Amino acid sequence: MRERYRREHLEQLNALPTSDKIDYAVRTPALPWALQTPSDPNGSATRIRRKRGRLLVVQHVSFAGPGPLRAHLEAAGLVLDVIDVSAAAALPSTLEHYDALVVLGGPQSVLDRQGWPTRTQEATLVAEALRDEVPYLGVCLGAQLLGVEARGVAYRGPAAEVGWTPVATTAQCAFDPVFRVVPRRLHVMSSHVDHVSLPAGATRLMSSSAYPNQAFRVGRIAWGTQFHPEADAAFAATRRRLVPGWAEDEVPANGDERFFERHAGAIFAAVFSRFAAVVDAAATRRRELSPALLNRP
């Protein structure tokens, strides 16, 4: 079983277009028409000078940072403002000065009515991203916040998903501008027990046996993942120490942790680069429609 699994996933990875592999620059995805650069109706060569896009990244605990996500977004020329709210750092009141929003995971529970000190601010920013179609990526807690703000329902799952979890893509995933590079089956890094129902009109992209909404898209450019695509070896080592039962559940009997880590890393490197392309396209269009933004800080 182990060799069959390894062979199947290597075949899936090798089937990716060359430009979608980790060792190469990822091509710009086929974006929704609303995000494509407006054409000049007069056919002139005049172009407005572009600036790099800026992302706000909300971090909830010191050991769960953006990890490899940061490297891939910065490699695409984007600027990240990472704010760790566990260090009492203040969040901006709006996304006025940002071209995208990323909300990471954390030990907080979306089911906690009292929330955590920045929950109301974070919910306001997520709602703003949805309203104004600002590109959004939510991880674990960030995905649950996305689901709730899009009128999904948060709930406690049947059992904790800890360590490497098998997931499968849906038919719709093959048409998603960001997650289309994910193979049919994959093991992903998990650490959660809360979940959220699929909001009305959202698109389910990935599922597991216990948690049906492992990845989903709301509207055109807001994504949530229940698992941790940004997890690296340091994340896994820390969670192994902190989460009861992690060591027992971390690696399936037919699996090789290093193989899972390399394979998932290659796949999500392509996903992150495609998300960066969405952010870049949205930022470009926003500036072309609002030239005053060219001079913003």
Side-chain angles (χ1 to χ4, degrees):
M1 284 293 293
R2 176 172 169 176
E3 281 306 311
R4 179 181 176 185
Y5 178 89
R6 183 189 300 273
R7 184 172 60 253
E8 176 179 324
H9 281 271
L10 287 176
E11 289 172 353
Q12 291 170 343
L13 185 58
N14 288 332
L16 290 175
T18 298
S19 56
D20 276 332
K21 295 178 183 176
I22 190 170
D23 294 327
Y24 298 87
V26 178
R27 69 175 183 272
T28 301
L31 297 173
W33 67 268
L35 292 184
Q36 295 173 7
T37 301
S39 59
D40 187 336
N42 298 319
S44 72
T46 302
R47 299 179 64 85
I48 297 177
R49 178 173 57 89
R50 292 171 57 180
K51 279 190 175 183
R52 294 179 298 176
R54 182 176 293 274
L55 294 87
L56 172 62
V57 180
V58 181
Q59 181 174 331
H60 294 100
V61 65
S62 60
F63 61 80
L69 171 62
R70 180 172 200 154
H72 290 289
L73 295 180
E74 289 181 341
L78 303 175
V79 177
L80 277 66
D81 288 347
V82 181
I83 298 180
D84 184 350
V85 297
S86 69
L91 289 173
S93 58
T94 76
L95 297 174
E96 178 184 2
H97 298 294
Y98 293 97
D99 299 297
L101 174 63
V102 175
V103 178
L104 300 174
Q108 298 86 348
S109 173
V110 73
L111 295 172
D112 183 357
R113 290 186 178 275
Q114 298 302 315
W116 52 97
T118 57
R119 175 170 180 164
T120 299
Q121 292 173 278
E122 291 179 42
T124 298
L125 293 173
V126 173
E128 181 181 348
L130 287 172
R131 183 188 70 237
D132 297 343
E133 291 198 313
V134 176
Y136 177 85
L137 177 62
V139 173
C140 199
L141 179 62
Q144 296 156 13
L145 283 172
L146 171 64
V148 169
E149 288 306 309
R151 299 188 179 181
V153 178
Y155 63 92
R156 184 60 55 96
E161 280 189 326
V162 177
W164 291 103
T165 302
V167 297
T169 60
T170 65
Q172 291 80 9
C173 189
F175 302 98
D176 186 80
V178 168
F179 282 83
R180 61 192 294 180
V181 297
V182 179
R184 293 188 305 277
R185 289 186 292 164
L186 182 71
H187 277 78
V188 296
M189 184 66 75
S190 299
S191 180
H192 67 96
V193 67
D194 293 339
H195 200 45
V196 67
S197 64
L198 194 70
T203 302
R204 180 181 292 117
L205 302 175
M206 300 172 68
S207 297
S208 70
S209 59
Y211 290 83
N213 305 316
Q214 286 285 347
F216 57 95
R217 187 184 72 248
V218 177
R220 288 193 291 262
I221 52 175
W223 289 269
T225 67
Q226 183 61 74
F227 55 89
H228 289 267
E230 86 297 354
D232 55 13
F235 176 94
T238 302
R239 299 304 283 164
R240 188 180 294 113
R241 294 195 306 269
L242 298 178
V243 179
W246 178 286
E248 290 77 7
D249 297 337
E250 185 173 8
V251 183
N254 67 333
D256 177 333
E257 180 182 1
R258 291 298 180 90
F259 173 73
F260 291 151
E261 187 177 304
R262 290 194 302 270
H263 185 234
I267 294 299
F268 292 117
V271 168
F272 296 154
S273 295
R274 297 178 81 85
F275 179 70
V278 171
V279 175
D280 180 72
T284 299
R285 181 174 179 84
R286 185 182 180 195
R287 287 175 175 81
E288 292 182 344
L289 293 176
S290 302
L293 292 174
L294 286 169
N295 298 318
R296 78 181 190 188

